[in-house]
Structures are given as C-alpha cells and as structure tokens.
Amino acid sequence: MTKVNSKLIIAIDGYSSCGKSTVAKDLAKLLNIIFIDSGAMYRCVTLYALQNGIIHEGIIDEDLLIESLDEINITFKFDVQSKSNQTYLNGKLVESEIRGPEVSDNVSQISTIGFVRKKMVELQQAMGQTDSIVMDGRDIGTVVFPQADLKLFMTASPMIRGQRRFKEYQEKNQDITFDEVMENVKKRDYMDENRDESPLRKDDDALVLDNSDMTKQEQLDFIVDQLKVRNLIK
Ligand code: DC
C-alpha cells in the first residue's frame, strides 16, 4: 500500500477542464489523504450570488456580496458510495448545480474579486493546517500553499479540454453546443490568466504536466513517481 511519509501538501494548478480534479481525486484515494476542489468553493459563491439576486444580468453587486460573504457556508462531505467529496452550500448538496452552465458562465468574474479570494484562501489554508491534503485550483502553489511539498501545473490543448467538458455536459443531458463550450473554455482561460488578483501562472518550482495525450493512469503514475523521487511517499 502507498503511504505518505509525513504531513503532505500537494498543489495542483492549471487551466479549466484539464482534469485537475480527476487526478487529484485519484491521488487522494491512493494516498488516503483529503482532496479539496478549490474551484468548487468559487462555484458555491457564484451559485449563492445567482440565487440571491447578487448577480443580475451578468452584473455583480459587490456591496451586497461583501455583506453576504459570512452567510456563505461551504463544506465538503465524503460520500462513501461515490468515494469522493461532495460540496454543500449552507447545508444543501450542490455538487451537480455548481457544475451547470449558469454557474460556469459567471464564476470567472466572481473569482476576480479580491475580497472573495481573500476569504477563500483563508478557508483553504485552514483546511491544510492539520491533515495531508491535495488541493486543485489556479493559485494553490503560488498563493495558498507556496510551501507545498509538490506543485504541479497541469495543461492540455484547448480543443481537448473543450471536448472533455462537452462530453461531461452530454452525459448530464445539459443543453449546450460544442461551440458554446469552446467559447466558455477560451473565455475562462483568458480571465484566469489576465485577472489582477492571483492570475493563473506556473510557479517557478512547479512541474508541468501536459495530459493532452495521457491516460488517467499515466498521469497518476507520473505524479506518484515524482512523489517517490522526492521521498514523500513509500
Ligand atoms: O476549476 P474550476 O473550473 O471548477 O474553477 C472554477 C472557476 O474558479 C474558474 O473560473 C477559476 C476559478 N478558480 C480560481 O480563481 N482559483 C482557484 N483556486 C480555483 C478556481
């Protein structure tokens, strides 16, 4: 059995829809450590804002959002059946709702807001205080855990990422065209890379993992090898 040698923090950053959460989940299962999808947290804030009239016709009422921030309670619960974490917003299971097109269309804008990021980063850092953790996102290696034991920067070509996301929507019977998905992927890449607050960038000590032509198992093996080389697991 694979075991971690001591408290371990693994940071996985990269573009949207390049399989960060998939590999992070696999890794957490293999190492028996906690997985946190930090994107789910920004998605929860976005869902809350949509449900409470804080985003209206694409415009965010930032005054109302800052007032409401303490009312947004985000938790993760491990689901034994699916063997993965499920996201709860104020006690309600929202795992599927936060992945829908309406949240996806608005989440980049929410994630550019400084006070939202500050709050999410505080919550994320608290989650890594006591336990070994693998967290995926955009700023995990650069801002949340700059001292992480292993930092990965994941990428795949925009076309491949669009195809993966489109397949996910089709499996959930969501009404969206491939062109719309591609537009969303490109728009989010642009916003992730060009925002003022913690833009997506590869940290100097992050390893690049381009999984355009890799299977799930190959990318997991790559990370496990890197952890072994660093004597972080056995
Ligand atoms: O990983 P994802 O697609 O679920 O992320 C949703 C959005 O949240 C995406 O537009 C980028 C943003 N995000 C972020 O700014 N910082 C993070 N640590 C995670 C996600």
Side-chain angles (χ1 to χ4, degrees):
M1 206 182 108
T2 319
K3 274 184 71 181
V4 302
N5 287 342
S6 55
K7 185 174 152 337
L8 188 63
I9 294 194
I10 304 172
I12 305 185
D13 289 306
Y15 292 96
S16 71
S17 309
C18 65
K20 298 183 298 295
S21 297
T22 306
V23 78
K25 253 182 237 170
D26 289 348
L27 199 57
K29 207 188 290 176
L30 183 76
L31 304 178
N32 199 21
I33 63 175
I34 294 169
F35 158 60
I36 299 292
D37 170 0
S38 70
M41 299 171 71
Y42 291 94
R43 287 174 179 272
C44 279
V45 176
T46 308
L47 180 61
Y48 182 94
L50 286 165
Q51 287 174 337
N52 290 277
I54 297 172
I55 303 180
H56 193 63
E57 292 177 359
I59 310 287
I60 301 168
D61 182 339
E62 291 198 21
D63 292 336
L64 192 51
L65 183 57
I66 201 165
E67 270 172 37
S68 313
L69 217 48
D70 286 340
E71 283 156 34
I72 306 177
N73 181 29
I74 303 163
T75 46
F76 296 97
K77 277 190 210 155
F78 188 74
D79 178 57
V80 181
Q81 218 165 15
S82 63
K83 292 199 176 67
S84 65
N85 266 334
Q86 305 272 293
T87 314
Y88 288 76
L89 169 59
N90 292 337
K92 186 173 169 256
L93 179 65
V94 290
E95 191 54 45
S96 160
E97 220 172 331
I98 57 169
R99 316 279 165 197
E102 208 190 356
V103 170
S104 295
D105 273 350
N106 289 283
V107 64
S108 294
Q109 232 188 313
I110 287 285
S111 69
T112 61
I113 301 174
F115 63 80
V116 173
R117 299 205 70 82
K118 185 169 177 286
K119 169 99 185 186
M120 295 303 114
V121 169
E122 280 168 14
L123 293 172
Q124 290 152 7
Q125 288 174 334
M127 290 171 184
Q129 279 287 316
T130 46
D131 296 301
S132 289
I133 192 167
V134 48
M135 189 177 287
D136 81 308
R138 305 294 188 284
D139 60 342
I140 309 306
T142 50
V143 177
V144 182
F145 297 123
Q147 80 292 10
D149 299 286
L150 181 69
K151 297 181 189 178
L152 292 156
F153 187 84
M154 278 183 68
T155 182
S157 74
M159 180 58 89
I160 288 197
R161 290 186 284 127
Q163 284 165 349
R164 288 176 185 161
R165 176 95 355 150
F166 184 57
K167 195 165 158 252
E168 274 171 27
Y169 282 135
Q170 280 188 315
E171 281 164 6
K172 290 180 193 155
N173 288 323
Q174 276 173 344
D175 185 21
I176 187 163
T177 66
F178 180 67
D179 287 349
E180 283 166 343
V181 173
M182 278 309 293
E183 202 179 304
N184 182 263
V185 166
K186 285 184 196 154
K187 191 172 117 196
R188 286 209 288 155
D189 284 359
Y190 183 84
M191 289 185 80
D192 286 347
E193 285 176 324
N194 292 288
R195 66 182 179 215
D196 293 335
E197 294 280 344
S198 315
L200 173 66
R201 65 170 181 84
K202 183 189 113 41
D203 210 6
D204 292 340
D205 55 351
L207 284 176
V208 175
L209 173 54
D210 182 336
N211 69 1
S212 302
D213 300 308
M214 277 174 127
T215 64
K216 269 176 29 168
Q217 189 58 47
E218 283 168 345
Q219 58 182 358
L220 184 62
D221 291 346
F222 172 87
I223 302 174
V224 168
D225 284 348
Q226 293 298 330
L227 290 166
K228 282 187 180 157
V229 166
R230 288 167 176 73
N231 207 21
L232 294 167
I233 60 170
K234 58 173 171 263

